[in-house]
Every structure is written in structure tokens, then in C-alpha cells.
Amino acid sequence: MGYNSDMTATSTPTTDLLRPQPEHSKFWQNAHHYFDRVYQTMNLDPIWREVLSSPKRVLIVSCPVRMDDGSIQVFTGYRAQHNHARGPFKGGIRFDTSVNRDEVMALAMLQTWKNALVDLPFGGAKGGVVCDPRKLSLGEKERLTRRYTSEILPIIGPFQDIPAPDAGTDSQVMAWVLDTYSMMVGHQELGVVTGKPVTLGGSVGREEATGRGVMNVLRAFLATQNKNIEGTRIAVQGFGNVGFHAARLLDTRGATIIAITERASGIYDEKGIDVDAAGLYYRERGNLVDYPHGDSITNEELLTCDCDIVIPAATESTVTEEIAPHIKARILVEAANGPTTPQADEILRENGVTVLPDILANAGGVTVSYFEWVQGLQNFFWDAKQVQNELQKIMEQAFAAVNAKADEVDCDYRTAAYTIAISRVAEACRLKGLFP
Ligand code: NAD
């Protein structure tokens, strides 16, 4: 079965589920487009192209859950593991109604490149459950998380595959993953999941890490232009974990956050939005509808508004070929995974917009997840300063490598980032060879 662009299923049978086929979703094809475009220029052995094109494994599970009203609802869950040549699989778990097999396969592939680009000893994975977490009670969410964890248990573990939070999940969900896994194996296993609450072996600084990494990478890029964050006018799409912390940290460094949107609504204030106050309002209500300050703005208006920097931090494919020609910002920072379609990317390049790509810009989350994994295995915990310093070091090193590659081969940052990441993964594959 395939998918239409609106993600409804088509009747065309998919003969090969894992290798890219025309009936696979646009997002999965976009992930391939970015990979193929760079791979073909790299003079690598074509054999690894085949290997790297498809995930190693995709597990689809059915999760029956008793709802509060006594009924039983069955939720579909996925865990896609793309490549583990460089270490155990690692990647988030997403709870959303739009989760589907192609999406987790694409996100797992992106995660492989991201982990390699920031030089973490991990491969890439992604999981998700088709559900609307906003409509589940706390008890229902816990039962769903525990059932999903037990269903994917055979393929996760501290040295196999280490999940983390993604859209629609948080540290509480990770605490349930930890507890379910630990109960099943008979001992507390801190290394099985990251993004846990700090009191349960989580790392300080993990919650804000993706937003902090966005800030680190943007600051490093601006430095190459002899500019800094102070005084820039920034619009942020998506006001969840990533969007909120990115906006908050940029605001504290002197940027003016002039627009913020979430799924249902948005606010625009030329004088600057009070990010903490808007964050409090959003956390209490789950949206920004009727926020008492500023004007209301749509997602499309945000992306095309008059600002210096636009940060898509919501979900994939929001920056489309229809929107790209109207983007006025000169810098676009991909805090979300896969927000820019290949066609839009081309338009932005032609229009001279600098794109800081997702596999670089939002790698701060997995980087601090790596710190958390290391701390959990050692039962020795770092303070906030150490986490922030180590994160900054890794993000700046990654940016410097991408910047140098872009200069060396005269290409855009996405091409440079993919070139570095793919060559590291392909080299690991080559050195390991094939088993048996
Ligand atoms: P979240 O669920 O905490 O927040 C998502 C936000 O985006 C919400 O404000 C939601 O209302 C908004 N949104 C969702 N769909 C939208 C749409 N179609 N248009 C406009 N707004 C929309 O999720 P998050 O953890 O902040 O993740 C956001 C993005 O960042 C995702 O692409 C995710 O994969 C990526 N990411 C997250 C992490 C992490 O550590 N959480 C790390 C790396 C990348």
C-alpha cells in the first residue's frame, strides 16, 4: 500500500517496502533526493548506495490500549532502524496522527546522517505511534507508551537502539519507556532511553538542547559574516520543545522574536514577543489562540514575513516550492527535521538564501542525548555548565567542518553537510565489510 500526498493510502501495491518506490510518500522520496544528489557526486563505491538507500529494519506493531471509558483502542506503532555501521541505532519517538511507515523511514535515514555529522558513535533510527497525544488522558498515554515499548522491546536496548523524545513526546514519556524496559529486564537500565527526567538519570540541559544547538550553529554562521545574534529579527514556526527553547535562547542573546506560530495560530509583534509569557500561555492552553498581545499571523505569513532569520521548528515539508519564492529572510535555520522540500531548497539557493540544514542545525538534541547515554552508563553525572560547554564545542566543530567543506568544494551547506556525513557512514560500512 502507498500514500497520496495528503497521506491517505492508495490502492497501488508496493512490491518493495523498504527500497524507494514511486508510490512511497513525498517525504521519503525527498530524503532520498537529498541523499542521492550528494552520493552521485562523491565517487564512492555504488554498492554502499544500495545499502544506505533503505533502512536495515522496520518493525510495525499493533498496540491495544484500554481507554478511560473501558473501551479498547488499537494504535499502530513503528520503529525504523536505518544504519548502525557507526554504533547502536539512536533516534526519537513521535506521537502524532500523521505518523506513518514512510515518515519514520525518512526520519531514521536523516538521523543516520545527523549522528555521523556531529561524529556521535550512533546509527540512525526513528519511531512513532499514530495517535493524537493531546486527546489522550495521562493514564491512556502511559498505557500506550508502555504497550508500544513492550512491543518494540526485542529491538531496543542500551547497545542496540536508544530512543529519545521527538514531536508529541517528552521526558514523562521517556520515564515510562525506561520503567517498562527496566521491569522487563529485571534491573534499572538508564542507557536504554534518553531525554529522561533529571531525577531518573536524565541529563541536565537535555530539554533545551535542540534549541541551544540551533542557537550555537546560527551564532557560528553569523560570525563568518562578522555579525552576531544581537539585533536580528527572527520568526519561529512551531512553539513546542524546539521552537520555544530556540526562541527563548535567541531572545536572551539580544534577538527580537517578531513572530511565533504553532499548528493552529500565531502571533506577530514588530516590537518583540515576550517569549516566556507566550510560552507559559502555550503550555497552559496547548495553542496561542487569543493571545492578548501582538497581532495574529498564519503559518504561511510567518514564513514569508519581513525578518532577517526564519526558523522552521514545527514539522516536515512546511517550506514548499509555493512558499519559497516569497521568503524574505536571508537566513533559514532548519530546526525541524526535513522542513524544506527539494524544490523549495533549489529556489532558496537561487534566491541567495542561506539554509543551515536540519542535520546540522538541530543536532544539539541528539548530542546531549549522547551525553546522557554516557552519563547513564557510567552513573556519573555532569553539571549544566559542562553540558553546555561540551554541546557548544561539538556544534561549533560540526559547523566549522561544514563551512570548510562548503568553501573547499564551493557548495551550499546542505551539500557540504551530507558529503561529510555520507562519507563517514560509507567509510564505516566499507571498513566493517559484509557479514557473513
Ligand atoms: P513538539 O511536539 O514539542 O512541538 C511541535 C510544534 O510544532 C507545536 O507547537 C505544534 O503546534 C507545531 N506544529 C505541528 N505541526 C505543525 C504544522 N503543520 N504547521 C505549523 N506548526 C505545526 O515537537 P518538537 O520536539 O519541538 O519537534 C519539532 C521538530 O523538531 C520536529 O520536526 C522534530 O522531529 C524536530 N526535532 C526535535 C528534537 C527534539 O529534541 N525534540 C530534536 C531534533 C529535531
Side-chain angles (χ1 to χ4, degrees):
M1 185 175 289
Y3 295 94
N4 287 319
S5 55
D6 63 358
M7 297 319 305
T8 54
T10 65
S11 56
T12 322
T14 302
T15 49
D16 190 336
L17 289 178
L18 300 185
R19 253 171 279 270
Q21 304 288 329
E23 60 267 34
H24 276 133
S25 78
K26 264 259 164 296
F27 186 46
W28 174 230
Q29 292 185 35
N30 291 348
H32 275 274
H33 174 96
Y34 286 132
F35 164 67
D36 274 339
R37 188 172 62 90
V38 175
Y39 197 92
Q40 281 165 17
T41 65
M42 287 179 68
N43 265 337
L44 292 171
D45 187 337
I47 187 182
W48 300 117
R49 182 172 172 212
E50 272 283 296
V51 171
L52 295 173
S53 280
S54 41
K56 179 174 175 51
R57 183 185 290 134
V58 183
L59 182 60
I60 306 179
V61 296
S62 162
C63 307
V65 173
R66 191 170 300 281
M67 309 303 280
D68 290 348
D69 65 4
S71 66
I72 291 176
Q73 205 170 316
V74 181
F75 296 88
T76 302
Y78 301 89
R79 186 72 185 170
Q81 299 176 331
H82 176 254
N83 182 281
H84 64 163
R86 290 173 48 89
F89 298 104
K90 177 133 194 50
I93 295 174
R94 182 176 284 198
F95 282 2
D96 197 274
T97 50
S98 64
V99 166
N100 62 80
R101 189 199 64 220
D102 288 7
E103 183 186 61
V104 292
M105 293 199 301
L107 290 168
M109 189 189 211
L110 277 178
Q111 193 74 45
T112 298
W113 313 139
K114 187 186 307 178
N115 294 346
L117 180 63
V118 283
D119 219 356
L120 305 181
F122 293 129
K126 197 65 140 201
V129 178
V130 188
C131 67
D132 186 344
R134 293 162 302 171
K135 293 196 177 140
L136 297 173
S137 70
L138 198 65
E140 288 168 342
K141 209 196 281 191
E142 175 178 355
R143 292 192 289 280
L144 174 58
T145 304
R146 288 186 182 280
R147 185 61 192 238
Y148 169 69
T149 306
S150 67
E151 296 289 351
I152 64 166
L153 197 110
I155 63 165
I156 61 169
F159 303 105
Q160 270 179 284
D161 183 354
I162 306 124
D166 193 73
T169 59
D170 55 16
S171 59
Q172 174 60 79
V173 172
M174 299 307 120
W176 293 324
V177 174
L178 168 73
D179 188 57
T180 307
Y181 186 91
S182 299
M183 292 301 287
M184 304 287 269
V185 297
H187 61 269
Q188 173 101 308
E189 190 63 85
L190 290 184
V192 70
V193 65
T194 58
K196 303 179 292 292
V198 173
T199 42
L200 279 179
S203 177
V204 289
R206 172 59 184 93
E207 198 180 309
E208 62 163 31
T210 309
R212 184 172 284 278
V214 166
M215 192 256 302
N216 289 331
V217 168
L218 176 59
R219 188 170 51 192
F221 166 70
L222 289 172
T224 66
Q225 313 290 302
N226 296 319
K227 293 183 180 151
N228 57 47
I229 288 168
E230 204 175 335
T232 53
R233 294 161 62 254
I234 301 182
V236 182
Q237 181 191 43
F239 203 42
N241 173 292
V242 179
F244 168 71
H245 285 294
R248 180 181 64 79
L249 289 162
L250 290 163
D251 181 51
T252 58
R253 273 151 191 81
T256 305
I257 307 298
I258 61 164
I260 292 171
T261 49
E262 41 83 21
R263 202 186 299 255
S265 61
I267 45 178
Y268 176 87
D269 192 338
E270 187 59 42
K271 296 192 298 297
I273 293 164
D274 180 337
V275 178
D276 284 325
L280 201 61
Y281 186 96
Y282 179 74
R283 276 193 298 281
E284 277 170 4
R285 291 172 173 75
N287 59 54
L288 291 168
V289 176
D290 295 332
Y291 184 70
H293 308 288
D295 301 320
S296 112
I297 188 173
T298 66
N299 269 288
E300 194 170 325
E301 287 166 346
L302 175 137
L303 291 172
T304 57
C305 78
D306 184 10
C307 62
D308 303 312
I309 299 159
V310 64
I311 306 184
T315 190
E316 55 257 26
S317 309
T318 60
V319 181
T320 60
E321 64 204 281
E322 287 80 33
I323 286 176
H326 308 290
I327 288 181
K328 298 184 192 69
R330 295 289 81 202
I331 302 166
L332 185 146
V333 190
E334 293 186 333
N337 282 314
T340 311
T341 67
Q343 297 79 3
D345 196 48
E346 196 72 44
I347 295 166
L348 294 174
R349 204 168 23 253
E350 278 164 14
N351 289 351
V353 179
T354 298
V355 175
L356 296 171
D358 48 6
I359 63 169
L360 171 66
N362 72 30
V366 71
T367 301
V368 176
S369 272
Y370 165 58
F371 300 160
E372 181 176 328
W373 181 69
V374 168
Q375 293 170 68
L377 293 181
Q378 297 180 339
N379 271 298
F380 182 78
F381 295 92
W382 306 359
D383 63 21
K385 204 75 227 142
Q386 186 174 1
V387 170
Q388 288 170 13
N389 289 345
E390 294 294 329
L391 173 64
Q392 183 176 339
K393 196 162 78 189
I394 288 185
M395 297 308 289
E396 287 179 356
Q397 274 169 357
F399 174 77
V402 170
N403 194 41
K405 179 60 78 179
D407 279 350
E408 179 196 323
V409 293
D410 192 20
C411 67
D412 59 281
Y413 284 136
R414 193 188 310 278
T415 306
Y418 267 72
T419 306
I420 295 168
I422 293 171
S423 63
R424 285 181 182 160
V425 179
E427 178 68 351
C429 290
R430 189 189 66 77
L431 288 167
K432 281 183 155 178
L434 288 182
F435 174 86

